[in-house]
Amino acid sequence: MMSKTGFTTKALNVPYPKEDPHNALQMPLYEAVAFEFDSAEQIEANFKGEYIAHVYSRSSSPTVEYFEQKLKALTESHGVIAVSSGMAAISNTILAITRSGDNIIAGNRLFGHTLSLLQQTLSEFGLETRFSDLNDPNDIESLINSNTRAIYFETVTNPQLEVSDIELLASVARKHKLLLIADSTITPPNVFRAADFGVNIEVISTTKYISGGATSFGGAIVDHGNFDWTNQPNLKSYTEKFGKNAFLAKIRKNIYRNTGGSMAPQTARYQIQGLDILEIRVERCYKNCMVLGEFLSAHPKVKRVDYPGLPQDKGYKLAQKYFGGVPGTIMSFDLESKEACYSFMNKLKIIRRATNLNDNKSLIIHPDSTIYAEFSEAERAKVNIRNTMMRLSVGIENAGDLIADIEQALD
């Protein structure tokens, strides 16, 4: 299918890896754990990598394979591996390219659980994370040494809603032959073409936009096929054997298989259907986001609004450049105090008090007391988490009803 085909049309017409004997219009759900072979010789060939077939669902299954192929087609990437969650996508990717004594450069405004993974979990295994102001190339370069393996960033930070200058990061990464990894969860593939701006690997929490409205949780690793893996010393043996597929092979045959972070076939089926309607849902949520952003910006009790889709936002120009003006569909806004935030949240009748992004329902949370609760006050201040801030994930409800709910809670 030609790349100029519209996103939703393309999503609905990705062919199955194998012809379905019943010509089903929906990919069947293969719940089988194991798959039979015709002979002992055939299963031996499979384990040697000489004959490709599904053998055990922890490694691969037909339903998960189709989800991967569908996302590969929509991202126009080299390869996709589906995993059990967004955090599994991040951890599998980092574990594939690093070993004890290595370091990565990461943004200093990371999502709370990603920050916890890097600071608390992976550091115990000897991986150092060097946090940087990613808008300052001099600061980034001052942290790079011979053990640096990658630059890791979020396309739009959550919940601060700060937009990264992606081409700047790509320039630094190329100069030093480093892998550029983007967490693009907030900017789904219908609005962000990662490879066009120099991103090598995307990690995505498919729980969010791709699941089709909080139907399931999962993750994906997208390899855009634009990195020279000979520059990664930890993939040397894989590069010699698999060439351009070195990274995918390291995950599939080592990290992913041995740590058990695979996506369940049931999850894949939900997310296949979620990809079909992704563009439609994002469009509706974005329109709601813009209406709410303008309303909140004009309300006297609202002290601050952050959403890079708004012309007055400091990230607006970068959002136009990288995401066509659609920088996801979450926003943050501040009231005068933590107490005012709690009072407001407790009065809401339509917007739900819950932690997730891009559910069909609008969701609100107080990040300071939840996602970042385990961090000290100084640490929260360092990553610009304020106790007056709320994060609003905008759903597909009618915009007028959302405004009425916010208005009555503010009043």
Side-chain angles (χ1 to χ4, degrees), residues 252-267:
R252 184 78 75 181
K253 296 176 175 295
N254 182 331
I255 309 298
Y256 166 91
R257 184 188 68 188
N258 295 346
T259 59
S262 50
M263 177 178 280
Q266 297 91 336
T267 297

mmCIF file with all atom_site columns, all heavy atoms in Angstrom, residues 252-267:
data_model
loop_
_atom_site.group_PDB
_atom_site.id
_atom_site.type_symbol
_atom_site.label_atom_id
_atom_site.label_alt_id
_atom_site.label_comp_id
_atom_site.label_asym_id
_atom_site.label_entity_id
_atom_site.label_seq_id
_atom_site.pdbx_PDB_ins_code
_atom_site.Cartn_x
_atom_site.Cartn_y
_atom_site.Cartn_z
_atom_site.occupancy
_atom_site.B_iso_or_equiv
_atom_site.pdbx_formal_charge
_atom_site.auth_seq_id
_atom_site.auth_comp_id
_atom_site.auth_asym_id
_atom_site.auth_atom_id
_atom_site.pdbx_PDB_model_num
ATOM 1   N N   . ARG A 1 252 ? 14.493 -9.861  21.082 1.00 0.00 ? 252 ARG A N   1
ATOM 2   C CA  . ARG A 1 252 ? 13.640 -11.032 20.850 1.00 0.00 ? 252 ARG A CA  1
ATOM 3   C C   . ARG A 1 252 ? 14.273 -12.313 21.382 1.00 0.00 ? 252 ARG A C   1
ATOM 4   O O   . ARG A 1 252 ? 13.607 -13.148 21.986 1.00 0.00 ? 252 ARG A O   1
ATOM 5   C CB  . ARG A 1 252 ? 13.362 -11.160 19.352 1.00 0.00 ? 252 ARG A CB  1
ATOM 6   C CG  . ARG A 1 252 ? 12.415 -12.277 18.965 1.00 0.00 ? 252 ARG A CG  1
ATOM 7   C CD  . ARG A 1 252 ? 10.971 -11.922 19.227 1.00 0.00 ? 252 ARG A CD  1
ATOM 8   N NE  . ARG A 1 252 ? 10.454 -10.985 18.236 1.00 0.00 ? 252 ARG A NE  1
ATOM 9   C CZ  . ARG A 1 252 ? 9.218  -10.512 18.257 1.00 0.00 ? 252 ARG A CZ  1
ATOM 10  N NH1 . ARG A 1 252 ? 8.380  -10.869 19.214 1.00 0.00 ? 252 ARG A NH1 1
ATOM 11  N NH2 . ARG A 1 252 ? 8.810  -9.650  17.341 1.00 0.00 ? 252 ARG A NH2 1
ATOM 12  N N   . LYS A 1 253 ? 15.572 -12.495 21.171 1.00 0.00 ? 253 LYS A N   1
ATOM 13  C CA  . LYS A 1 253 ? 16.234 -13.745 21.516 1.00 0.00 ? 253 LYS A CA  1
ATOM 14  C C   . LYS A 1 253 ? 16.901 -13.727 22.882 1.00 0.00 ? 253 LYS A C   1
ATOM 15  O O   . LYS A 1 253 ? 17.428 -14.754 23.324 1.00 0.00 ? 253 LYS A O   1
ATOM 16  C CB  . LYS A 1 253 ? 17.277 -14.085 20.439 1.00 0.00 ? 253 LYS A CB  1
ATOM 17  C CG  . LYS A 1 253 ? 16.682 -14.350 19.066 1.00 0.00 ? 253 LYS A CG  1
ATOM 18  C CD  . LYS A 1 253 ? 17.760 -14.584 18.028 1.00 0.00 ? 253 LYS A CD  1
ATOM 19  C CE  . LYS A 1 253 ? 17.163 -14.977 16.683 1.00 0.00 ? 253 LYS A CE  1
ATOM 20  N NZ  . LYS A 1 253 ? 16.469 -16.282 16.733 1.00 0.00 ? 253 LYS A NZ  1
ATOM 21  N N   . ASN A 1 254 ? 16.885 -12.576 23.545 1.00 0.00 ? 254 ASN A N   1
ATOM 22  C CA  . ASN A 1 254 ? 17.581 -12.486 24.826 1.00 0.00 ? 254 ASN A CA  1
ATOM 23  C C   . ASN A 1 254 ? 16.703 -11.773 25.859 1.00 0.00 ? 254 ASN A C   1
ATOM 24  O O   . ASN A 1 254 ? 16.040 -12.425 26.665 1.00 0.00 ? 254 ASN A O   1
ATOM 25  C CB  . ASN A 1 254 ? 18.922 -11.765 24.626 1.00 0.00 ? 254 ASN A CB  1
ATOM 26  C CG  . ASN A 1 254 ? 19.752 -11.664 25.892 1.00 0.00 ? 254 ASN A CG  1
ATOM 27  O OD1 . ASN A 1 254 ? 19.238 -11.624 26.993 1.00 0.00 ? 254 ASN A OD1 1
ATOM 28  N ND2 . ASN A 1 254 ? 21.074 -11.626 25.736 1.00 0.00 ? 254 ASN A ND2 1
ATOM 29  N N   . ILE A 1 255 ? 16.670 -10.453 25.804 1.00 0.00 ? 255 ILE A N   1
ATOM 30  C CA  . ILE A 1 255 ? 16.019 -9.671  26.861 1.00 0.00 ? 255 ILE A CA  1
ATOM 31  C C   . ILE A 1 255 ? 14.537 -10.010 26.988 1.00 0.00 ? 255 ILE A C   1
ATOM 32  O O   . ILE A 1 255 ? 14.052 -10.406 28.054 1.00 0.00 ? 255 ILE A O   1
ATOM 33  C CB  . ILE A 1 255 ? 16.194 -8.159  26.609 1.00 0.00 ? 255 ILE A CB  1
ATOM 34  C CG1 . ILE A 1 255 ? 17.666 -7.806  26.358 1.00 0.00 ? 255 ILE A CG1 1
ATOM 35  C CG2 . ILE A 1 255 ? 15.646 -7.367  27.785 1.00 0.00 ? 255 ILE A CG2 1
ATOM 36  C CD1 . ILE A 1 255 ? 18.593 -8.097  27.497 1.00 0.00 ? 255 ILE A CD1 1
ATOM 37  N N   . TYR A 1 256 ? 13.819 -9.866  25.910 1.00 0.00 ? 256 TYR A N   1
ATOM 38  C CA  . TYR A 1 256 ? 12.363 -10.067 25.894 1.00 0.00 ? 256 TYR A CA  1
ATOM 39  C C   . TYR A 1 256 ? 12.001 -11.498 26.261 1.00 0.00 ? 256 TYR A C   1
ATOM 40  O O   . TYR A 1 256 ? 11.154 -11.770 27.101 1.00 0.00 ? 256 TYR A O   1
ATOM 41  C CB  . TYR A 1 256 ? 11.879 -9.700  24.489 1.00 0.00 ? 256 TYR A CB  1
ATOM 42  C CG  . TYR A 1 256 ? 10.501 -10.111 24.072 1.00 0.00 ? 256 TYR A CG  1
ATOM 43  C CD1 . TYR A 1 256 ? 9.418  -9.264  24.271 1.00 0.00 ? 256 TYR A CD1 1
ATOM 44  C CD2 . TYR A 1 256 ? 10.275 -11.322 23.424 1.00 0.00 ? 256 TYR A CD2 1
ATOM 45  C CE1 . TYR A 1 256 ? 8.147  -9.609  23.834 1.00 0.00 ? 256 TYR A CE1 1
ATOM 46  C CE2 . TYR A 1 256 ? 9.013  -11.669 22.992 1.00 0.00 ? 256 TYR A CE2 1
ATOM 47  C CZ  . TYR A 1 256 ? 7.948  -10.818 23.199 1.00 0.00 ? 256 TYR A CZ  1
ATOM 48  O OH  . TYR A 1 256 ? 6.701  -11.165 22.762 1.00 0.00 ? 256 TYR A OH  1
ATOM 49  N N   . ARG A 1 257 ? 12.688 -12.448 25.628 1.00 0.00 ? 257 ARG A N   1
ATOM 50  C CA  . ARG A 1 257 ? 12.383 -13.857 25.880 1.00 0.00 ? 257 ARG A CA  1
ATOM 51  C C   . ARG A 1 257 ? 12.733 -14.267 27.311 1.00 0.00 ? 257 ARG A C   1
ATOM 52  O O   . ARG A 1 257 ? 11.970 -14.970 27.977 1.00 0.00 ? 257 ARG A O   1
ATOM 53  C CB  . ARG A 1 257 ? 13.173 -14.728 24.894 1.00 0.00 ? 257 ARG A CB  1
ATOM 54  C CG  . ARG A 1 257 ? 12.876 -16.213 24.999 1.00 0.00 ? 257 ARG A CG  1
ATOM 55  C CD  . ARG A 1 257 ? 13.822 -17.021 24.132 1.00 0.00 ? 257 ARG A CD  1
ATOM 56  N NE  . ARG A 1 257 ? 15.192 -16.967 24.656 1.00 0.00 ? 257 ARG A NE  1
ATOM 57  C CZ  . ARG A 1 257 ? 16.249 -17.456 24.016 1.00 0.00 ? 257 ARG A CZ  1
ATOM 58  N NH1 . ARG A 1 257 ? 16.091 -18.006 22.823 1.00 0.00 ? 257 ARG A NH1 1
ATOM 59  N NH2 . ARG A 1 257 ? 17.451 -17.374 24.550 1.00 0.00 ? 257 ARG A NH2 1
ATOM 60  N N   . ASN A 1 258 ? 13.886 -13.826 27.792 1.00 0.00 ? 258 ASN A N   1
ATOM 61  C CA  . ASN A 1 258 ? 14.376 -14.312 29.076 1.00 0.00 ? 258 ASN A CA  1
ATOM 62  C C   . ASN A 1 258 ? 13.782 -13.602 30.286 1.00 0.00 ? 258 ASN A C   1
ATOM 63  O O   . ASN A 1 258 ? 13.830 -14.135 31.394 1.00 0.00 ? 258 ASN A O   1
ATOM 64  C CB  . ASN A 1 258 ? 15.906 -14.215 29.116 1.00 0.00 ? 258 ASN A CB  1
ATOM 65  C CG  . ASN A 1 258 ? 16.560 -15.137 28.096 1.00 0.00 ? 258 ASN A CG  1
ATOM 66  O OD1 . ASN A 1 258 ? 15.912 -16.022 27.546 1.00 0.00 ? 258 ASN A OD1 1
ATOM 67  N ND2 . ASN A 1 258 ? 17.843 -14.928 27.834 1.00 0.00 ? 258 ASN A ND2 1
ATOM 68  N N   . THR A 1 259 ? 13.258 -12.404 30.086 1.00 0.00 ? 259 THR A N   1
ATOM 69  C CA  . THR A 1 259 ? 12.624 -11.707 31.215 1.00 0.00 ? 259 THR A CA  1
ATOM 70  C C   . THR A 1 259 ? 11.109 -11.836 31.198 1.00 0.00 ? 259 THR A C   1
ATOM 71  O O   . THR A 1 259 ? 10.445 -11.465 32.167 1.00 0.00 ? 259 THR A O   1
ATOM 72  C CB  . THR A 1 259 ? 13.002 -10.215 31.228 1.00 0.00 ? 259 THR A CB  1
ATOM 73  O OG1 . THR A 1 259 ? 12.590 -9.602  30.004 1.00 0.00 ? 259 THR A OG1 1
ATOM 74  C CG2 . THR A 1 259 ? 14.506 -10.030 31.414 1.00 0.00 ? 259 THR A CG2 1
ATOM 75  N N   . GLY A 1 260 ? 10.537 -12.356 30.115 1.00 0.00 ? 260 GLY A N   1
ATOM 76  C CA  . GLY A 1 260 ? 9.113  -12.680 30.093 1.00 0.00 ? 260 GLY A CA  1
ATOM 77  C C   . GLY A 1 260 ? 8.177  -11.500 29.993 1.00 0.00 ? 260 GLY A C   1
ATOM 78  O O   . GLY A 1 260 ? 7.077  -11.530 30.546 1.00 0.00 ? 260 GLY A O   1
ATOM 79  N N   . GLY A 1 261 ? 8.583  -10.465 29.283 1.00 0.00 ? 261 GLY A N   1
ATOM 80  C CA  . GLY A 1 261 ? 7.731  -9.276  29.183 1.00 0.00 ? 261 GLY A CA  1
ATOM 81  C C   . GLY A 1 261 ? 6.849  -9.263  27.961 1.00 0.00 ? 261 GLY A C   1
ATOM 82  O O   . GLY A 1 261 ? 6.598  -8.205  27.378 1.00 0.00 ? 261 GLY A O   1
ATOM 83  N N   . SER A 1 262 ? 6.347  -10.407 27.545 1.00 0.00 ? 262 SER A N   1
ATOM 84  C CA  . SER A 1 262 ? 5.602  -10.494 26.291 1.00 0.00 ? 262 SER A CA  1
ATOM 85  C C   . SER A 1 262 ? 4.177  -9.974  26.425 1.00 0.00 ? 262 SER A C   1
ATOM 86  O O   . SER A 1 262 ? 3.592  -9.982  27.501 1.00 0.00 ? 262 SER A O   1
ATOM 87  C CB  . SER A 1 262 ? 5.575  -11.944 25.803 1.00 0.00 ? 262 SER A CB  1
ATOM 88  O OG  . SER A 1 262 ? 5.159  -12.812 26.840 1.00 0.00 ? 262 SER A OG  1
ATOM 89  N N   . MET A 1 263 ? 3.632  -9.548  25.303 1.00 0.00 ? 263 MET A N   1
ATOM 90  C CA  . MET A 1 263 ? 2.234  -9.112  25.244 1.00 0.00 ? 263 MET A CA  1
ATOM 91  C C   . MET A 1 263 ? 1.335  -10.338 25.120 1.00 0.00 ? 263 MET A C   1
ATOM 92  O O   . MET A 1 263 ? 1.634  -11.275 24.366 1.00 0.00 ? 263 MET A O   1
ATOM 93  C CB  . MET A 1 263 ? 2.018  -8.170  24.058 1.00 0.00 ? 263 MET A CB  1
ATOM 94  C CG  . MET A 1 263 ? 0.565  -7.731  23.873 1.00 0.00 ? 263 MET A CG  1
ATOM 95  S SD  . MET A 1 263 ? 0.332  -6.562  22.498 1.00 0.00 ? 263 MET A SD  1
ATOM 96  C CE  . MET A 1 263 ? 0.869  -5.026  23.272 1.00 0.00 ? 263 MET A CE  1
ATOM 97  N N   . ALA A 1 264 ? 0.204  -10.336 25.816 1.00 0.00 ? 264 ALA A N   1
ATOM 98  C CA  . ALA A 1 264 ? -0.758 -11.426 25.732 1.00 0.00 ? 264 ALA A CA  1
ATOM 99  C C   . ALA A 1 264 ? -1.564 -11.312 24.442 1.00 0.00 ? 264 ALA A C   1
ATOM 100 O O   . ALA A 1 264 ? -1.857 -10.201 23.984 1.00 0.00 ? 264 ALA A O   1
ATOM 101 C CB  . ALA A 1 264 ? -1.700 -11.395 26.930 1.00 0.00 ? 264 ALA A CB  1
ATOM 102 N N   . PRO A 1 265 ? -1.946 -12.439 23.826 1.00 0.00 ? 265 PRO A N   1
ATOM 103 C CA  . PRO A 1 265 ? -2.755 -12.382 22.609 1.00 0.00 ? 265 PRO A CA  1
ATOM 104 C C   . PRO A 1 265 ? -4.067 -11.615 22.787 1.00 0.00 ? 265 PRO A C   1
ATOM 105 O O   . PRO A 1 265 ? -4.498 -10.896 21.887 1.00 0.00 ? 265 PRO A O   1
ATOM 106 C CB  . PRO A 1 265 ? -3.017 -13.866 22.303 1.00 0.00 ? 265 PRO A CB  1
ATOM 107 C CG  . PRO A 1 265 ? -1.895 -14.601 22.948 1.00 0.00 ? 265 PRO A CG  1
ATOM 108 C CD  . PRO A 1 265 ? -1.567 -13.819 24.181 1.00 0.00 ? 265 PRO A CD  1
ATOM 109 N N   . GLN A 1 266 ? -4.684 -11.755 23.957 1.00 0.00 ? 266 GLN A N   1
ATOM 110 C CA  . GLN A 1 266 ? -5.935 -11.020 24.205 1.00 0.00 ? 266 GLN A CA  1
ATOM 111 C C   . GLN A 1 266 ? -5.701 -9.516  24.158 1.00 0.00 ? 266 GLN A C   1
ATOM 112 O O   . GLN A 1 266 ? -6.518 -8.760  23.613 1.00 0.00 ? 266 GLN A O   1
ATOM 113 C CB  . GLN A 1 266 ? -6.517 -11.426 25.573 1.00 0.00 ? 266 GLN A CB  1
ATOM 114 C CG  . GLN A 1 266 ? -6.899 -12.892 25.676 1.00 0.00 ? 266 GLN A CG  1
ATOM 115 C CD  . GLN A 1 266 ? -5.760 -13.755 26.195 1.00 0.00 ? 266 GLN A CD  1
ATOM 116 O OE1 . GLN A 1 266 ? -4.585 -13.401 26.077 1.00 0.00 ? 266 GLN A OE1 1
ATOM 117 N NE2 . GLN A 1 266 ? -6.101 -14.891 26.786 1.00 0.00 ? 266 GLN A NE2 1
ATOM 118 N N   . THR A 1 267 ? -4.588 -9.082  24.727 1.00 0.00 ? 267 THR A N   1
ATOM 119 C CA  . THR A 1 267 ? -4.232 -7.661  24.684 1.00 0.00 ? 267 THR A CA  1
ATOM 120 C C   . THR A 1 267 ? -4.019 -7.204  23.238 1.00 0.00 ? 267 THR A C   1
ATOM 121 O O   . THR A 1 267 ? -4.501 -6.149  22.827 1.00 0.00 ? 267 THR A O   1
ATOM 122 C CB  . THR A 1 267 ? -2.952 -7.406  25.496 1.00 0.00 ? 267 THR A CB  1
ATOM 123 O OG1 . THR A 1 267 ? -3.196 -7.719  26.861 1.00 0.00 ? 267 THR A OG1 1
ATOM 124 C CG2 . THR A 1 267 ? -2.493 -5.968  25.373 1.00 0.00 ? 267 THR A CG2 1
#
